[in-house]
Amino acid sequence: MYTFLVNPASRSSLGKKVWHTLEEQLKEKEVPYQVFFTKYQRNATKLAAHLCNDLSVKTLIVLGGDGTLNEVIDGIPKLSDITLGYIPIGSSNDFARSMGLSKDPIKALSHILEPTRFAYLNVGVTEYDVEGSSHHRRRFAVSSGLGFDAGVCHQVIVSPLKRFFNKLHLGKLSYVGVALFQLFTMTPDEMHIELTAPSGETKSFAYDRVYFAAAMNQRTEGGGFRFCPKSNPSDDLLDVIVVEGFKKLVLLMLLPTAFKGWHVIFKGIHTFQCEKATFTSKKPLPVHTDGEPVYLKREITCSLEPEKIRLILS
């Protein structure tokens, strides 16, 4: 029995159309399955938690974008108990891009039904405090950060640009448009970075004009920006990028080079590897996990879960 968790609203309701196509394939092949549809934000987390508590569910297949995948991973009680299948139909598809997963839903389904290759992936976790509440934690598969990149993610969620470009199958351009707006309206500020190595050694860095800092478990975020081009999602390490000190026009010209990962050669781009990273800003900044908005925070800590999850590659 295959268990599908589908976001029918993904990419301007493309999720519903794609599911109908895949369901025909499943029925034609007489594949036993059950399907659950998300109905509201964070619903996928609750559904994943409920489904994975059923010991008969061993393979969970997600149809949606990076946000849906994030919610599902955040809800799985024991990561090592689940094999994950993913059919990407989102706007950015950074997870699928980094993992080399097929963007063709029918091909992706065939790989899931007859898998030949798997990957065992680290899963990140971001921790933060919420005023008047307890300590919070939220997982991420791709990246988590605060500042400019999170501000873009926050605005893309509510921007009509995303819906417009999704209908043209150019969803990635919504991130570019919002990024330009955010770049010229934000003010870079002081940030303190503390990194912990696997050995336990801690290093601290202080910067005066930081645009953003992010912990990444995949190479790309934001619709293909290859911010950490050497990131390996299975190496038990987080890759960290800090962007600071640039004039805005210089950063604007530099931004396109990140699609190829060439930005790392420039002074003001700092990359690290670590087991844990704590980012502390002078003022509250937008925070995201896999592009999903969290809250405005002054401090977040990113690390890796002790368990890995098995992903079907092909």
Side-chain angles (χ1 to χ4, degrees), residues 119-183:
Y120 291 82
L121 306 182
N122 291 118
V123 172
V125 58
T126 296
E127 300 178 81
Y128 52 91
D129 289 323
V130 176
E131 187 176 350
S133 183
S134 59
H135 192 66
H136 282 237
R137 66 196 313 271
R138 182 161 176 174
R139 289 172 176 161
F140 61 92
V142 176
S143 65
S144 180
L146 77 169
F148 168 70
D149 69 329
V152 172
C153 295
H154 282 220
Q155 190 174 343
V156 162
I157 293 294
V158 299
S159 173
L161 280 176
K162 184 177 183 179
R163 292 187 293 273
F164 173 73
F165 283 119
N166 277 348
K167 289 178 180 179
L168 299 177
H169 305 291
L170 297 170
K172 187 168 70 172
L173 292 182
S174 62
Y175 288 86
V176 176
V178 170
L180 294 175
F181 176 82
Q182 284 285 329
L183 179 61

Side-chain angles (χ1 to χ4, degrees), residues 42-62:
R42 301 292 291 160
N43 188 210
T45 300
K46 295 178 180 179
L47 286 171
H50 173 72
L51 292 169
C52 294
N53 277 324
D54 181 348
L55 297 179
S56 67
V57 175
K58 295 296 183 183
T59 300
L60 191 59
I61 302 159
V62 181

Side-chain angles (χ1 to χ4, degrees), residues 213-262:
M216 299 191 63
N217 196 40
Q218 298 282 354
R219 294 188 297 274
T220 70
E221 72 165 24
F225 289 107
R226 198 172 294 183
F227 286 137
C228 288
K230 295 183 179 180
S231 181
N232 179 343
S234 300
D235 64 359
D236 298 326
L237 292 171
L238 284 172
D239 284 64
V240 170
I241 180 170
V242 181
V243 178
E244 59 87 24
F246 293 100
K247 292 182 178 179
K248 290 186 176 183
L249 284 176
V250 174
L251 187 58
L252 176 61
M253 292 185 287
L254 173 63
L255 198 57
T257 68
F259 281 115
K260 294 291 187 180
W262 298 339

Side-chain angles (χ1 to χ4, degrees), residues 20-36:
H20 288 325
T21 300
L22 297 183
E23 190 172 37
E24 289 177 4
Q25 294 284 314
L26 293 169
K27 290 178 177 178
E28 183 179 314
K29 296 178 181 180
E30 298 183 342
V31 175
Y33 70 93
Q34 57 180 347
V35 59
F36 298 85

Side-chain angles (χ1 to χ4, degrees), residues 248-307:
K248 290 186 176 183
L249 284 176
V250 174
L251 187 58
L252 176 61
M253 292 185 287
L254 173 63
L255 198 57
T257 68
F259 281 115
K260 294 291 187 180
W262 298 339
H263 62 295
V264 295
I265 67 173
F266 294 96
K267 183 179 179 181
I269 305 290
H270 309 276
T271 57
F272 310 93
Q273 285 190 317
C274 64
E275 201 170 65
K276 183 172 74 172
T278 298
F279 308 129
T280 307
S281 66
K282 184 178 179 181
K283 62 185 180 183
L285 294 173
V287 175
H288 80 94
T289 57
D290 291 341
E292 295 298 290
V294 181
Y295 299 95
L296 294 177
K297 294 279 113 192
R298 285 191 62 250
E299 181 174 295
I300 62 171
T301 296
C302 300
S303 58
L304 293 171
E305 295 281 29
E307 298 177 325

